[in-house]
Amino acid sequence: MSQLPEQPTMTSVPTSADVARLAGVSRATVSYVLNNNATVRISEQTRRRVREAASDLGYVPHAAARSLRAGHSRMVLLPTWHIPAGPLHQRFFHALQSDLRRLDYTVVQYGSGGLDADEAARAWAELRPVAVVSPGGPALTPYGIDVLTRSGAKAVITLGPQPVDGAHALVMDQRVVGSCAVAHLLARGRRRIGVVLPQEPGLALFGEPRLVGARRTAEAAGAHVQPLPLRYEEESAAQLASRWRTLGLDAVFAYNDEYAMLLMRALQDAGIPVPGETAVIGADDLMLGRLLRPRLSSVRMELAAGQAPAELIDRLVRHPGGTPERHDLLRATAVPRESS
Amino acid sequence: MSQLPEQPTMTSVPTSADVARLAGVSRATVSYVLNNNATVRISEQTRRRVREAASDLGYVPHAAARSLRAGHSRMVLLPTWHIPAGPLHQRFFHALQSDLRRLDYTVVQYGSGGLDADEAARAWAELRPVAVVSPGGPALTPYGIDVLTRSGAKAVITLGPQPVDGAHALVMDQRVVGSCAVAHLLARGRRRIGVVLPQEPGLALFGEPRLVGARRTAEAAGAHVQPLPLRYEEESAAQLASRWRTLGLDAVFAYNDEYAMLLMRALQDAGIPVPGETAVIGADDLMLGRLLRPRLSSVRMELAAGQAPAELIDRLVRHPGGTPERHDLLRATAVPRESS
DNA sequence: TTGAAAGCGATACCAT
DNA sequence: ATGGTATCGCTTTCAA
């Protein structure tokens, strides 16, 4: 396997006892040295001997044993469900990870696909995380929250479009996206607004709330919203475009930029002028939207920077038991270009 | 926190001893019952009492304690480095996760950003995984492989563009992408071929090997390849387009479809006919490429299905110590459309 | 300055 | 059919 020369048939995994033996000290001393325990004075010579022994053996402490002894871990569990993560989410996860690492937490992503909400909660609880940040997928149930809390989790936090009762919530309220898009279209004088609903399974989670936000804003202004199911295929877009004029719409919020590009192309191919007859706006502000003609208007989404989520988690872990907090993360701004 | 009524001030986390006490049996019996241990007969009545006690207390076994006792875990560690994952990788991870779960492994993604290769290897070893599947980022070193192996990992597997000495390898050799793109352009009669190199930090990892593959295939045919650094911004593309004719190229492989779209738009805006004067081909076969005019040619990438990676890992775990195996996962095929 | 030993939670052997 | 108990690797109190 590994081709390093010095490896005297070490069959089993080295433990701190092996290190102690090799260094000629007790296991306690090994622990003191390797953890730089300040409450105890150890001679420099002993320290060196211990460290050398450890590195000779390739000793690495056993995290499970350690946290078993300690009675707690610093693991923050981040379950995943394979809802395909966009760049926004990826950036968020990455920032959360490095921020939490800086606060000395260990972040572990745990793939939970195929489990139902309560099975998943139990599986998570087995790992005894100090905090759980649960994104979308099957929503956490009160039972799940209970299991996690009883298993010692100091903070149970949901992450997603809506909060869940009894847990803290990092809310990325997708309604603001639809709301923002429609507000922009209304400002442009459009009144009969289509809203694309992607038919791909995972995306309903975002599509629905965006529609709700769009509808709410439209109705507040006495305008009308029409849901438009669409699959992410040229054929589906062509069909929609072919019956476009029967719909009598003067604008469309196309869920995101990719669907917007798909639909806009289909509309153009069907001879519908954009934005002349129908305005189009997407979301995500992809670079690619600027390459089309007309350039695609979009809704740019950002995650609020104010209270860094990592610090929130840290605070909740240190002072558990408060009433559930809600933090809104998502900001949306319209980026008008030529298509609307 | 949780609002469930029945919670009689349970301050500490319930253990199997608590379950035993409540059920009026020994901890051994609890273990037998909850693990459905077949080597021992337990009366149906006792079983029920134990199960009820467990569920009353919200008992969930402690994974760390269990694997400490067992001396091994079934955790497959999948380190991540926040190299933004494309859909191809996401699909791969997801498939790997569910396949491994089916084989009764626990898959854990561990964010390792900010650590260097050897620190990371030690951090992974602390978790005592039974297998590690290490994607790109800082490449695993011989020392890292050694630490992991000594810590009890039965299989150390790299995942990425190149294999690493001493470990098994799931290879996604990006050279075949460049090779495939250039082969297609050569077949179309092009001879002076530009190859876009994205300047974004993370992407060099893929860009370089694609260039190498492109160059190899071109030179084998006596054709020439010219590297073209490009940032993913309109301005950068416009600059490149403005000096295009001085380059004397009749084709370009643009790294991927996004860069291809960016560049193609810039070329068109600069009055360079595509594909008349310069052919363009991307990679990833994004839906969006079909919406441009001319429709964008692309290289479609697929992961070989043959030997499912999960089964490979399972085999390596059960029969450790063989010589390092290499498995090529990436297949590339040209998808000719109008731009080339 | 160092060592002996208890104990974290779960499991499996050996008794009963 | 069930219970007592040693054990996994590590940390930490208490003694020496």
Side-chain angles (χ1 to χ4, degrees):
Chain A
M1 213 73 145
S2 163
Q3 296 300 350
L4 292 197
E6 63 266 281
Q7 195 166 345
T9 334
M10 175 58 74
T11 161
S12 65
V13 180
T15 71
S16 75
D18 296 320
V19 177
R21 202 156 22 240
L22 181 56
V25 300
S26 75
R27 286 153 59 214
T29 307
V30 171
S31 174
Y32 292 143
V33 171
L34 295 183
N35 294 314
N36 293 313
N37 189 321
T39 69
V40 73
R41 301 256 156 268
I42 308 252
S43 71
E44 196 46 53
Q45 171 189 341
T46 306
R47 307 189 97 94
R48 223 193 354 269
R49 282 229 310 286
V50 168
R51 278 198 246 274
E52 269 172 24
S55 108
D56 283 358
L57 291 173
Y59 169 74
V60 174
H62 191 305
R66 173 181 292 185
S67 75
L68 179 59
R69 173 62 231 241
H72 61 259
S73 74
R74 298 203 35 101
M75 183 202 313
V76 175
L77 192 65
L78 217 147
T80 58
W81 296 98
H82 188 66
I83 291 152
L88 199 74
H89 280 78
Q90 287 191 35
R91 274 207 307 278
F92 177 81
F93 287 147
H94 174 64
L96 188 62
Q97 287 226 352
S98 17
D99 291 355
L100 282 173
R101 180 197 301 297
R102 220 159 289 134
L103 294 171
D104 201 40
Y105 292 92
T106 294
V107 180
V108 159
Q109 268 174 271
Y110 183 94
S112 317
L115 277 54
D116 76 33
D118 292 339
E119 288 169 345
R122 279 192 298 269
W124 305 341
E126 290 195 0
L127 302 176
R128 297 289 192 273
V130 69
V132 178
V133 181
S134 162
L140 221 38
T141 63
Y143 168 81
I145 296 174
D146 190 53
V147 164
L148 287 168
T149 317
R150 281 156 107 137
S151 83
K154 300 289 184 234
V156 178
I157 302 161
T158 63
L159 173 68
Q162 288 118 18
V164 168
D165 229 47
H168 302 283
L170 293 172
V171 180
M172 295 160 78
D173 186 346
Q174 299 288 327
R175 287 175 301 187
V176 301
V177 179
S179 190
C180 172
V182 166
H184 166 75
L185 294 172
L186 291 172
R188 285 285 204 267
R190 312 284 172 156
R191 314 287 303 165
R192 298 183 311 285
I193 300 172
V195 174
V196 167
L197 274 176
Q199 294 303 285
E200 279 62 34
L203 299 183
L205 196 65
F206 294 158
E208 274 297 336
R210 288 186 190 185
L211 172 61
V212 170
R215 174 172 285 134
R216 202 174 43 182
T217 300
E219 287 175 354
H224 192 67
V225 144
Q226 159 97 43
L228 301 171
L230 177 63
R231 277 171 295 116
Y232 191 60
E233 297 161 9
E234 283 190 283
E235 191 196 359
S236 178
Q239 268 176 27
L240 179 54
S242 72
R243 59 193 183 86
W244 193 257
R245 291 215 157 97
T246 70
L247 296 168
L249 301 172
D250 60 11
V252 58
F253 165 51
Y255 175 66
N256 72 10
D257 285 352
E258 294 184 310
Y259 283 83
M261 295 187 213
L262 176 64
L263 180 56
M264 190 162 85
R265 164 56 61 195
L267 290 176
Q268 290 175 318
D269 286 350
I272 319 268
V274 175
E277 187 170 328
T278 297
V280 176
I281 185 168
D284 287 347
D285 191 27
L286 296 188
M287 157 74 65
L288 291 177
R290 288 171 236 183
L291 306 178
L292 303 188
R293 301 298 181 263
R295 294 176 215 265
L296 182 64
S297 299
S298 190
V299 174
R300 174 184 303 148
M301 292 152 60
E302 287 166 295
L303 294 175
Q307 159 86 287
E311 279 156 30
L312 170 67
I313 292 171
D314 184 47
R315 181 165 58 74
L316 294 175
V317 165
R318 295 153 89 111
H319 313 290
T323 64
E325 299 184 16
R326 172 193 173 121
H327 295 266
D328 271 279
L329 259 41
L330 200 59
R331 301 280 174 273
T333 50
V335 182
R337 282 196 272 262
E338 300 163 1
S339 70
S340 68
Chain B
M1 211 73 146
S2 163
Q3 297 300 353
L4 292 197
E6 62 266 286
Q7 196 166 345
T9 334
M10 175 57 76
T11 160
S12 65
V13 181
T15 72
S16 75
D18 297 319
V19 177
R21 204 156 22 240
L22 181 56
V25 300
S26 74
R27 287 153 60 215
T29 307
V30 171
S31 174
Y32 293 142
V33 170
L34 296 183
N35 294 314
N36 293 313
N37 191 321
T39 69
V40 74
R41 303 253 157 267
I42 307 255
S43 70
E44 195 47 51
Q45 171 192 339
T46 307
R47 309 189 95 93
R48 223 192 356 267
R49 283 229 311 287
V50 168
R51 277 197 249 273
E52 269 171 24
S55 106
D56 283 358
L57 291 173
Y59 168 74
V60 174
H62 191 306
R66 176 181 291 185
S67 75
L68 178 59
R69 172 63 233 241
H72 61 259
S73 74
R74 295 194 50 91
M75 182 201 313
V76 176
L77 192 65
L78 218 147
T80 57
W81 296 99
H82 187 65
I83 290 153
L88 197 75
H89 281 77
Q90 288 191 32
R91 273 208 307 278
F92 176 81
F93 287 147
H94 178 241
L96 188 63
Q97 287 226 355
S98 18
D99 291 355
L100 281 173
R101 179 197 302 298
R102 219 160 290 132
L103 294 171
D104 201 39
Y105 292 92
T106 293
V107 180
V108 159
Q109 268 174 271
Y110 183 95
S112 317
L115 276 54
D116 77 32
D118 292 339
E119 287 169 345
R122 279 193 298 270
W124 305 340
E126 290 194 0
L127 303 176
R128 297 290 192 274
V130 68
V132 177
V133 181
S134 162
L140 220 40
T141 63
Y143 167 81
I145 297 174
D146 189 52
V147 164
L148 287 168
T149 316
R150 281 156 105 137
S151 83
K154 299 289 186 237
V156 178
I157 302 162
T158 64
L159 173 69
Q162 288 116 18
V164 168
D165 229 46
H168 302 284
L170 294 172
V171 180
M172 296 159 81
D173 187 347
Q174 299 287 327
R175 287 175 300 186
V176 300
V177 179
S179 190
C180 172
V182 166
H184 165 75
L185 294 172
L186 291 172
R188 285 285 204 270
R190 312 283 172 159
R191 312 288 300 167
R192 298 183 311 285
I193 301 172
V195 173
V196 167
L197 274 176
Q199 294 302 284
E200 279 63 33
L203 298 183
L205 195 68
F206 294 159
E208 274 298 336
R210 287 186 191 184
L211 171 61
V212 170
R215 174 172 285 135
R216 202 175 46 183
T217 300
E219 286 175 353
H224 192 65
V225 143
Q226 160 98 42
L228 301 171
L230 177 63
R231 277 171 294 118
Y232 191 59
E233 298 160 10
E234 283 190 283
E235 190 196 1
S236 179
Q239 267 176 27
L240 178 55
S242 72
R243 58 193 184 87
W244 193 256
R245 291 214 157 101
T246 72
L247 295 168
L249 301 172
D250 60 12
V252 58
F253 164 51
Y255 175 67
N256 73 9
D257 284 352
E258 293 185 309
Y259 283 83
M261 294 187 214
L262 176 63
L263 179 56
M264 190 162 85
R265 164 56 61 194
L267 289 176
Q268 289 177 319
D269 286 351
I272 317 267
V274 175
E277 187 171 328
T278 297
V280 177
I281 185 168
D284 288 346
D285 191 27
L286 296 187
M287 158 73 64
L288 292 178
R290 288 171 237 184
L291 306 179
L292 304 187
R293 299 298 180 265
R295 294 176 215 267
L296 182 65
S297 299
S298 190
V299 175
R300 174 183 305 149
M301 292 151 62
E302 287 166 295
L303 295 175
Q307 158 86 288
E311 279 157 28
L312 169 67
I313 292 170
D314 185 47
R315 181 165 58 74
L316 293 175
V317 166
R318 296 155 89 113
H319 313 290
T323 64
E325 299 184 17
R326 174 194 170 120
H327 295 265
D328 272 278
L329 258 42
L330 200 59
R331 301 279 174 273
T333 50
V335 182
R337 283 196 273 261
E338 300 163 2
S339 70
S340 68

